[in-house]
Amino acid sequence: MSSESIKVTINGSDYQVEKGARLIDVCRSNGHAVPSFCYYSDLALQASCRTCLVRIEKMPKLQTSCTITCTDGMIVTTESDEIEKARRGMVEFLLANHPLDCPVCDRGGECELQEMVFDWGGLEERFRERKNYAPEKYLSPVVANDPQRCILCKRCTRVCDEWMGEDAIEAGGRGVNTVIGTYGGWLNCSQCGNCIEVCPTGTLLDGTYRHQARPWELEQTITTCTFCSDGCQMSLGSRGGEVMRAVARDRYVNGINGEFLCIKGRFAHPFVNHEERLRTPMIRYRKGGKLIPATWDQALEFAANKLRETADAHGAEAIGVVGSPRITNEANYALLKFANEVVGTSNYTATDRFSLAPFFESLGAGLATHRDIRFAKTIVLVGGEPEELQPLTGKQIRQAVRNGGAKLIVINSRAIRLQQQAAQFIHIRPGAEDAAVLALADERFDELAAKKLGVDASELSTARGTVLDTEGNCIIMFGGELSPAAQSLLAQIPHAASTDKRRFLFHPLPLYNNSVGAHDIGLMGGAHTASSLLGAAGAEIRALYVAGSFLPDHLRGQEEALSKLDLLIVQELFETETTRYADVVLPAASFAETDGTFTNNDGLVQRVRASIPPAHQSKPDWMITAALAQTLGMDFNFQMSASTVFRELAERTTAYNGMRYPLLKDETKPVQAKHAIAPRRDLADEIEALRLSIESLDETAEKIMGTPPVGHELFKPGELTGKVPQFHLLAAGNPKPPDVLISPLYQITIDAGLRRTDEAVAVAGD
Amino acid sequence: MSSERPIQSPGNQFTPNNPLPQEAKLPNEIATFSPEVIAEMDAHIAKYPVRRSAILPLMFIVQRERGGYLDPPGVAFLADKLGVRITDIWEVATFYSMINTEPVGKYHLQVCRTLSCKILGADKITEHCTQKLGIKPGETTEDGIFSLSEVECLGSCGTAPMMQIGFDYYENLTTEKVDGLLERCRGGGMSNGVR
């Protein structure tokens, strides 16, 4: 888009606007209200609701401002008797078939149609015809549908197609009989619920929140999602200490994700008020005995005494401190401070799937924001599966390609769904991602890499050529498949390939909401990894203090490790595999009950705000750590305030220097951490190590064929999502109940047979 | 594009015969057609620069071959053949009254109900059919021979009232003419557009 400026006159005032700007946006951004239903920023144009009519001089009729591109000298009127009459007429038509059942509609109170009628509606209805009637029903375990309320703006169908690429919901029939629906009447898709979010009426509704509360009863709290590293901003609606729903409607919150949320963000919040939440601190007085409920004082005293005993008997290094990529920066910082200043041990880590430390050490360019992704020219995706594990990134990639014409290069061992958008898809052998990175970074290794990847060498040079032909932003994304050496190599590519016209940006794809934060705080820089810490349990490690739980991945093959410890202190939301062997269990507050910050994969430090008071006797993680330190005789001086913790954290963490809570308060202007750009490094050792490891790769390994089905990662019932019945239905194949007029949950018994507990549990991001 | 092109994962989509769509790569049941019919379809696809543009001619072929309506295996076949989602097929199929998504009788009487026909007595024609056959619009006789529908304008206003059976128009209708048509249908002497 050119930056040429043109003059537009709206209601007598002159405005200089960018050439190519859309009239409705120009009107709105300059304070001339123009109503609309079907217009939705960054979606295909529909122009079906006809409520955004304006008068443009020299044009014969009233025009829909959503379809008009501004031209020089355009003279526009947005308010006149003629327009008023036209708009009132349109609203009357929209209401011709609308049931006006606002008192029993979940959307009542936050409904765009309702607002439109307040502004433009008539006092009486002139239509006397029978309204179309259709009973309310369910389209899936999480999407409820009331077809008669629909005004056919088709936002849902466009969002489903353009954001999610799924086309699961469409408009069927024609004319007055048009309905929004699906083939077979059952919605089989990733169940993101974005159709619910963008619906301006009560046609598509949240199935988990159906008839639970009215919007005006809810207290809206803007917070950051806890389910993946994208860090979507959302608004938790709570009432009486219970989280009722999570939404991203732009009337409440307007973050990096707009109104986008995925199934987990939108529907997986019921774990917060789940009955299985830990209620009180618990102590196991004798190994092999039961966990006995205790008071906070007793539990902290018990834990402190045992820690002292262990330190006296085996030294401070025998104590390990384990943070979590799921908890806030404040909590992780308190744990690191505990390890360094109270215990004095170097054995600390966080329970992440993979460390980003090599990447950040060699970081050759800044981190991309999600907005950068949307307007990128070239996107290289090495490994990973953003649509399932970082859904917002997946959506941004799709829009960059479809709406922005970006070139996408997918290098993956599986034909992930995004390869349908890709300009080039390099289908490699499983586990060979390192070889692709080596070839991207250094053309000398094309032949070797191509042989090991099972691709043609020309495919690799084509990909490199696309990157080197880019004018504009080139964004490199990578998943957890890369080895540390490959991460370093990838991170250094910008030093060799940046020019004036080409800017490189990175977008790591870690799995957890605060993976980047845990790294920034320094928690990943300890002497051990989570797995090696477990391996050393019972030997040089005698006691562990764990916030959160070890992942099934860490425990696989060393399930007994935790039982060998003299002391295990765990702070958790639920009983898990890790609490099974715990001597002291401390109930922690969930993300909805605590103040703090998460750092997402853009490096944006975003606020988490308490929506409800901590459930039962739970406390925020950083408060527990501070209390334990207090019991051990060390005052952290946090003054019971998360902002104090963050101030200290920001002072001691280079990337966060200068940050304060007041600076982070506005979710529309997120603040990016200042990750240091590493100078050009000599990577000969890494390249040699990579070459050796690549040469040992199996050249005969079978490639994985077939596209993984939609939702295969999203629907896995994990530690938190497993507390939501809907996820069990979806994981069991989303069966359609015989009669979908009643909630599917009433009809399908969630029995043990439906629960998938094998490898499906808690693999990632939940 | 060749017809062996990788399938755009219709396994992710709902198919009525597949209760576990997330597990399956392809619908359990997908319609199969003879090589001649496939060749006919490919000839239509070749006419268009974009593959999915051939959706309407292919729907007519599938409808003809699958007993007069788009059954779920037929829809799954179309989605696969054209590289679109099953919901897209549904969207188009429900838009056109000529495409049936439910089983219909051997002869599908489609009475035009738009303005010219309405003024010249389409209601009477429909009413007469209802009385003769004992079915309301949208229904099928028990013996499976007749279905009756009211459809929007068929573009034959000069000869109103009219109805369509198969691909043929029957115009300037009177109740007597309708009786004759019904007799001819019963006698099997009329084309119904289906083999």
Side-chain angles (χ1 to χ4, degrees):
Chain A
M1 201 181 285
S2 83
S3 55
E4 199 183 324
S5 176
I6 54 172
K7 194 185 86 173
V8 177
T9 309
I10 303 172
N11 295 345
S13 311
D14 291 348
Y15 301 102
Q16 292 295 325
V17 301
E18 205 172 83
K19 194 176 178 184
R22 202 168 295 289
L23 182 55
I24 191 168
D25 293 334
V26 173
C27 290
R28 286 177 171 178
S29 59
N30 290 304
H32 303 284
V34 176
S36 77
F37 278 118
C38 67
Y39 176 69
Y40 197 92
S41 165
D42 219 7
L43 285 188
L45 297 175
Q46 180 82 17
S48 66
C49 75
R50 322 297 294 181
T51 50
C52 64
L53 293 170
V54 295
R55 166 62 69 188
I56 301 171
E57 276 190 18
K58 295 179 186 161
M59 286 199 181
K61 302 185 290 187
L62 294 180
Q63 300 291 320
T64 48
S65 57
C66 66
T67 56
I68 301 282
T69 305
C70 290
T71 50
D72 198 16
M74 194 177 255
I75 301 173
V76 184
T77 314
T78 66
E79 278 166 46
S80 71
D81 289 347
E82 176 197 28
I83 294 166
E84 167 108 12
K85 200 175 164 203
R87 281 187 191 152
R88 284 187 183 279
M90 288 333 296
V91 172
E92 195 170 357
F93 276 128
L94 289 175
L95 288 181
N97 207 24
H98 191 83
L100 299 180
D101 56 353
C102 307
V104 294
C105 176
D106 272 350
R107 199 74 90 203
E110 55 175 12
C111 169
E112 289 180 42
L113 181 62
Q114 214 174 30
E115 285 172 356
M116 192 79 92
V117 173
F118 276 127
D119 284 354
W120 307 100
L123 282 173
E124 58 180 273
E125 214 177 340
R126 285 184 288 178
F127 287 98
R128 291 284 173 264
E129 283 77 14
R130 223 185 98 105
K131 297 191 178 198
N132 274 355
Y133 169 75
E136 56 185 280
K137 60 177 190 278
Y138 276 78
L139 289 179
S140 85
V142 291
V143 181
N145 179 220
D146 208 334
Q148 53 190 343
R149 295 180 185 146
C150 183
I151 55 166
L152 297 174
C153 66
K154 296 189 187 168
R155 279 189 197 175
C156 49
T157 69
R158 284 176 287 158
V159 159
C160 194
D161 180 18
E162 295 176 36
W163 284 7
M164 309 308 294
E166 297 190 29
D167 263 338
I169 192 163
E170 289 286 3
R174 75 198 263 189
V176 71
N177 295 319
T178 310
V179 289
I180 296 294
T182 65
Y183 185 80
W186 194 240
L187 198 53
N188 274 267
C189 59
S190 73
Q191 313 289 348
C192 62
N194 285 315
C195 47
I196 300 169
E197 198 72 273
V198 298
C199 181
T201 68
T203 309
L204 294 163
L205 294 164
D206 185 336
T208 63
Y209 159 79
R210 190 120 177 85
H211 301 319
Q212 299 287 309
R214 308 312 306 267
W216 56 85
E217 299 172 336
L218 300 178
E219 196 180 320
Q220 302 288 346
T221 311
I222 296 169
T223 190
T224 305
C225 179
T226 184
F227 280 103
C228 83
S229 59
D230 277 333
C232 291
Q233 295 297 293
M234 61 189 195
S235 174
L236 287 182
S238 62
R239 182 184 69 178
E242 188 178 355
V243 174
M244 307 299 291
R245 65 167 187 183
V247 294
R249 289 180 91 80
D250 56 9
R251 68 179 57 223
Y252 303 123
V253 54
N254 195 3
I256 52 167
N257 48 316
E259 293 197 330
F260 173 93
L261 284 180
C262 70
I263 173 171
K264 287 181 185 170
R266 198 183 304 282
F267 300 117
H269 55 80
F271 77 86
V272 172
N273 297 97
H274 197 269
E275 59 182 12
E276 288 172 19
R277 278 285 296 275
L278 296 175
R279 286 159 194 258
T280 63
M282 288 187 286
I283 301 174
R284 199 188 307 273
Y285 290 98
R286 175 171 62 79
K287 284 280 175 195
K290 277 186 178 167
L291 280 170
I292 312 284
T295 64
W296 271 104
D297 286 350
Q298 286 169 340
L300 290 173
E301 197 64 41
F302 184 87
N305 286 338
K306 287 277 193 177
L307 274 176
R308 258 191 226 111
E309 280 172 27
T310 311
D312 290 346
H314 304 281
E317 288 292 326
I319 298 173
V321 177
V322 183
S324 165
R326 311 289 306 269
I327 59 180
T328 57
N329 284 325
E330 287 74 2
N332 278 330
Y333 174 74
L335 284 165
L336 184 65
K337 186 166 173 170
F338 186 87
N340 284 335
E341 297 178 18
V342 179
V343 183
T345 176
S346 62
N347 295 322
Y348 50 82
T349 186
T351 48
D352 208 341
R353 272 282 279 286
F354 63 98
S355 170
L356 287 169
F359 164 72
F360 278 112
E361 270 163 28
S362 307
L363 189 66
L367 297 187
T369 64
H370 284 94
R371 196 184 149 74
D372 291 331
I373 300 173
R374 167 65 184 80
F375 295 103
K377 293 292 177 212
T378 305
I379 299 171
V380 185
L381 174 62
V382 188
E385 191 177 4
E387 283 197 306
E388 297 284 329
L389 301 170
Q390 293 87 8
L392 176 61
T393 300
K395 174 224 159 197
Q396 297 295 83
I397 295 175
R398 177 171 293 104
Q399 284 208 301
V401 175
R402 287 186 52 154
N403 303 10
K407 281 187 182 150
L408 172 65
I409 300 170
V410 175
I411 302 174
N412 207 304
S413 58
R414 290 186 301 176
I416 56 171
R417 220 153 51 88
L418 268 176
Q419 57 88 6
Q420 291 163 12
Q421 251 76 41
Q424 192 188 0
F425 171 48
I426 304 182
H427 193 171
I428 62 174
R429 292 205 177 97
E433 284 80 2
D434 281 8
V437 172
L438 187 62
L440 277 182
D442 198 330
E443 60 194 16
R444 288 175 300 162
F445 298 103
D446 270 8
E447 290 298 327
L448 169 71
K451 205 167 62 184
K452 297 293 180 184
L453 293 168
V455 300
D456 201 71
S458 66
E459 289 183 51
L460 296 169
S461 53
T462 310
R464 212 170 35 237
T466 310
V467 171
L468 295 179
D469 285 342
T470 307
E471 286 188 8
N473 283 353
C474 176
I475 296 183
I476 300 179
M477 305 187 184
F478 61 94
E481 292 92 341
L482 301 192
S483 68
Q487 273 190 23
S488 307
L489 198 57
L490 196 66
Q492 285 279 306
I493 285 181
H495 283 310
S498 285
T499 65
D500 294 345
K501 286 183 179 169
R502 178 167 56 248
R503 182 169 71 135
F504 279 89
L505 290 168
F506 283 104
H507 192 74
L509 299 171
L511 295 179
Y512 296 103
N513 49 332
N514 207 13
S515 292
V516 175
H519 167 268
D520 291 345
I521 301 296
L523 204 59
M524 300 297 281
H528 273 289
T529 65
S531 297
S532 71
L533 208 53
L534 283 173
E540 64 261 35
I541 300 293
R542 312 296 302 189
L544 276 183
Y545 172 29
V546 185
S549 287
F550 286 99
L551 301 177
D553 256 23
H554 298 138
L555 289 168
R556 193 165 299 137
Q558 38 193 16
E559 287 85 357
E560 297 306 309
L562 290 171
S563 63
K564 295 178 198 155
L565 292 165
D566 294 347
L567 172 67
L568 177 59
I569 307 168
V570 182
Q571 47 195 54
E572 244 298 0
L573 301 178
F574 295 99
E575 288 193 20
T576 65
E577 278 299 294
T578 308
T579 62
R580 255 178 70 191
Y581 299 105
D583 299 282
V584 184
V585 177
L586 305 168
S590 72
F591 83 112
E593 299 153 356
T594 175
D595 279 309
T597 53
F598 289 155
T599 309
N600 77 348
N601 51 14
D602 298 347
L604 302 180
V605 185
Q606 304 188 108
R607 278 298 311 274
V608 180
R609 294 181 178 87
S611 164
I612 56 172
H616 312 299
Q617 291 190 26
S618 61
K619 289 184 181 185
D621 289 274
W622 63 265
M623 230 182 255
I624 299 174
T625 310
L628 190 56
Q630 184 95 49
T631 317
L632 284 162
M634 167 108 179
D635 189 358
F636 277 177
N637 203 19
F638 286 160
Q639 299 169 17
M640 299 297 277
S641 144
S643 71
T644 316
V645 189
F646 187 75
R647 196 168 61 218
E648 188 176 315
L649 176 167
E651 276 163 15
R652 299 198 189 179
T653 310
T654 329
Y656 295 12
N657 279 353
M659 285 190 198
R660 295 286 184 276
Y661 272 7
L663 187 70
L664 308 177
K665 71 176 177 186
D666 186 356
E667 85 279 2
T668 61
K669 299 187 189 70
V671 182
Q672 196 169 28
K674 296 174 283 292
H675 289 108
I677 306 293
R680 192 167 197 153
R681 289 178 51 201
D682 178 24
L683 289 168
D685 293 346
E686 273 91 346
I687 290 176
E688 186 56 24
L690 264 183
R691 193 182 63 78
L692 287 176
S693 78
I694 288 165
E695 284 197 340
S696 68
L697 283 178
D698 183 6
E699 274 177 45
T700 57
E702 287 276 323
K703 282 191 186 176
I704 305 171
M705 304 309 287
T707 299
V710 177
H712 70 105
E713 292 283 352
L714 285 168
F715 299 163
K716 280 178 182 169
E719 201 57 63
L720 301 184
T721 52
K723 302 290 187 287
V724 188
Q726 280 83 358
F727 278 80
H728 292 279
L729 282 179
L730 294 170
N734 192 8
K736 183 185 177 186
D739 179 359
V740 290
L741 298 183
I742 317 169
S743 163
L745 283 179
Y746 284 109
Q747 302 197 9
I748 300 177
T749 318
I750 314 291
D751 59 23
L754 279 180
R755 286 181 194 260
R756 286 211 307 207
T757 50
D758 43 8
E759 50 85 39
V761 171
V763 171
D766 49 30
Chain B
M1 270 187 266
S2 79
S3 57
E4 290 82 27
R5 204 178 49 86
I7 290 158
Q8 215 170 0
S9 61
N12 305 333
Q13 292 289 314
F14 177 77
T15 50
N17 294 314
N18 179 9
L20 293 175
Q22 306 297 335
E23 302 295 325
K25 183 172 184 326
L26 282 170
N28 278 352
E29 206 181 335
I30 183 162
T32 51
F33 297 96
S34 67
E36 296 81 52
V37 176
I38 297 285
E40 188 185 351
M41 292 180 180
D42 288 337
H44 281 295
I45 292 173
K47 284 189 225 162
Y48 301 96
V50 179
R51 194 178 178 86
R52 65 177 180 199
S53 303
I55 190 166
L56 273 179
L58 260 61
M59 275 182 173
F60 278 115
I61 295 173
V62 170
Q63 174 164 304
R64 186 189 74 204
E65 299 291 322
R66 302 289 296 183
Y69 80 110
L70 290 187
D71 58 347
V75 171
F77 171 86
L78 279 173
D80 176 11
K81 183 86 179 162
L82 297 167
V84 297
R85 304 283 172 169
I86 283 182
T87 326
D88 294 325
I89 305 285
W90 172 79
E91 187 178 26
V92 176
T94 51
F95 185 86
Y96 292 101
S97 56
M98 306 81 179
I99 309 285
N100 302 310
T101 50
E102 300 289 330
V104 291
K106 186 175 176 195
Y107 295 99
H108 186 192
L109 315 180
Q110 302 168 54
V111 185
C112 174
R113 65 166 177 197
T114 312
L115 191 63
S116 307
C117 290
K118 191 104 172 175
I119 292 171
L120 287 167
D123 288 349
K124 272 186 212 147
I125 302 293
T126 313
E127 180 61 31
H128 186 70
C129 292
T130 302
Q131 278 181 4
K132 275 279 186 185
L133 301 171
I135 49 171
K136 289 194 210 106
E139 291 177 355
T140 303
T141 52
E142 273 178 22
D143 56 10
I145 293 184
F146 292 106
S147 291
L148 180 62
S149 318
E150 289 183 303
V151 300
E152 302 302 336
C153 186
L154 290 167
S156 189
C157 305
T159 55
M162 58 83 66
M163 70 159 88
Q164 181 179 0
I165 305 173
F167 286 114
D168 298 324
Y169 280 11
Y170 299 93
E171 299 164 321
N172 295 316
L173 291 178
T174 59
T175 47
E176 293 77 32
K177 272 194 184 176
V178 171
D179 286 342
L181 283 175
L182 297 182
E183 280 312 307
R184 275 173 62 200
C185 289
R186 286 218 171 86
M190 297 231 316
S191 157
N192 64 354
V194 179
R195 254 182 215 163

